[in-house]
Amino acid sequence: MSRPAAVPTITRGGRGSLVGGGVMLLVVVLLAAVVPYVVTLGALSSLVMLFALVILGTTWNLLAGYGGMVSVGQQAYVGVGGYALIQLADAVGAPPWLAVLAAGLIGAAIALPTSYLVFRLAGGYFAIGTWVVAEVFRLVTMRIDGLGGGTGLSLSAFRGTDRVERVAFVYWFALALMIAVVLGTYLLMRSRVGLGLTAIRDDRVAASSLGVAVDRGRRLVYVAGSAGAALAGALVALSTLGVTPGSIYSVSWTAAMIFIVVVGGIGTIEGPLVGAVLYWALQQALAPLGTWYLVVLGVVAVGVVLLAPRGLWGLVAGRYQLFPTGYRVGAVAPDATVARRAGE
């Protein structure tokens, strides 16, 4: 009697993923149902910024970590989202929540034709080109008197609204939007499109030879990442009740994205979550130090890159995966068909 053939078991996730998913669900429940009632309004506004940072980190990771495109000009779409929100909410009269969503769509619509320009560049030239595009956006915005010129705009859609109601609405809406962006990214990376993006990142020529639509995949990621940046910019404007060209188009937004993704763990969904929390915590704790907090951020970034090249999440990624996107080869088990035939 021949021994039954052994075949490996292919799985996604595991017990660690289930436990991690449960913890994440508990955190979300606490953020939605407990935190708003036990912290100050100032703390809620600060948490809105954290949610915006998570969106920025997640969508920039989609660009660089999965699409292989290092953009240093995503602040262009942060600015587009902020200005679009105020124009839609004040000039058009759209509800603030609808204006935020529309701002994301406007960012995507502008990113689509822009992609045909920046995709003519590669490598470092692509990175520099995206920064130049962001500067063009800022200068054009400052030239338009209807957008406030160099002084910016203030959001008046909440005029007459109680401050508690306003902050609570912005907080819950930002939380829901952050969850939607993270889950949307997770579902995208579990799909065939996500597999193609990973192949494009690793080797564009090889991916193309296997039938992957390289240009379409890269354009999809660029548009999606830009829409996410616009959503975050709209949330920032919704929380701060105003925008100025110098702040909303600041390159510090992209610097924050790079820090969040590189320190947290590039090419993972969990990494930007960890990086955003760390960046936000350092920002809150070191704000009284003025510009010295930037020095501390630089030291932290250099230290993590040297000691943990895969980022902080990379230290535990082998044991835990909150968002499993790939496949794992599990324990070897006998093939049922071969075993049955062997027993006959």
Side-chain angles (χ1 to χ4, degrees):
M1 182 185 302
S2 60
R3 298 182 61 185
V7 294
T9 58
I10 308 299
T11 60
R12 253 180 177 167
R15 183 176 300 177
S17 299
L18 293 176
V19 174
V23 173
M24 288 294 295
L25 181 60
L26 177 61
V27 170
V28 169
V29 171
L30 291 175
L31 286 173
V34 177
V35 170
Y37 302 100
V38 297
V39 302
T40 64
L41 294 180
L44 287 182
S45 297
S46 179
L47 285 172
V48 170
M49 183 60 67
L50 171 61
F51 301 154
L53 289 172
V54 170
I55 293 174
L56 288 173
T58 299
T59 52
W60 194 86
N61 182 55
L62 192 63
L63 273 172
Y66 292 113
M69 295 176 286
V70 179
S71 169
V72 295
Q74 289 306 102
Q75 66 271 18
Y77 302 102
V78 176
V80 166
Y83 275 94
L85 164 79
I86 295 179
Q87 285 296 302
L88 291 170
D90 287 350
V92 180
W97 65 269
L98 183 59
V100 172
L101 299 179
L105 294 177
I106 291 173
I110 294 176
L112 182 58
T114 304
S115 68
Y116 287 93
L117 173 64
V118 297
F119 279 11
R120 298 176 66 88
L121 307 171
Y125 296 103
F126 173 83
I128 295 173
T130 56
W131 177 77
V132 172
V133 167
E135 285 299 296
V136 171
F137 279 28
R138 182 180 67 85
L139 293 174
V140 169
T141 301
M142 293 177 64
R143 293 284 183 176
I144 301 176
D145 294 335
L147 296 180
T151 59
L153 295 172
S154 296
L155 179 65
S156 59
F158 284 117
R159 187 172 297 167
T161 304
D162 181 72
R163 180 169 179 259
V164 175
E165 295 180 2
R166 175 180 63 82
V167 173
F169 162 76
V170 174
Y171 172 84
W172 276 312
F173 184 68
L175 175 61
L177 203 58
M178 178 195 69
I179 294 171
V181 169
V182 173
L183 289 181
T185 302
Y186 173 54
L187 294 176
L188 175 65
M189 296 313 302
R190 282 178 65 99
S191 67
R192 293 182 62 183
V193 175
L195 184 62
L197 292 176
T198 304
I200 293 171
R201 176 197 62 191
D202 294 339
D203 193 323
R204 276 197 283 172
V205 176
S208 179
S209 67
L210 293 174
V212 178
V214 175
D215 289 340
R216 185 172 62 185
R218 295 176 73 236
R219 186 161 287 110
L220 171 65
V221 168
Y222 183 78
V223 171
S226 301
L231 287 175
L235 285 178
V236 171
L238 194 66
S239 179
T240 59
L241 301 179
V243 293
T244 61
S247 61
I248 201 70
Y249 284 110
S250 174
V251 72
S252 62
W253 290 113
T254 296
M257 299 180 213
I258 297 173
F259 178 94
I260 287 168
V261 174
V262 172
V263 171
I266 191 169
T268 64
I269 297 178
E270 301 89 348
L273 300 178
V274 175
V277 172
L278 177 62
Y279 180 87
W280 174 80
L282 290 175
Q283 196 176 46
Q284 299 300 311
L286 303 177
L289 299 181
T291 56
W292 276 101
Y293 99 91
L294 296 174
V295 177
V296 177
L297 288 178
V299 172
V300 171
V302 172
V304 171
V305 169
L306 293 177
L307 300 177
R310 296 174 57 196
L312 296 177
W313 184 255
L315 299 175
V316 298
R319 289 173 291 176
Y320 303 100
Q321 276 191 314
L322 301 182
F323 300 96
T325 57
Y327 293 93
R328 288 187 176 186
V329 179
V332 176
D335 182 79
T337 303
V338 177
R340 185 175 64 253
R341 290 179 178 177
E344 293 176 352

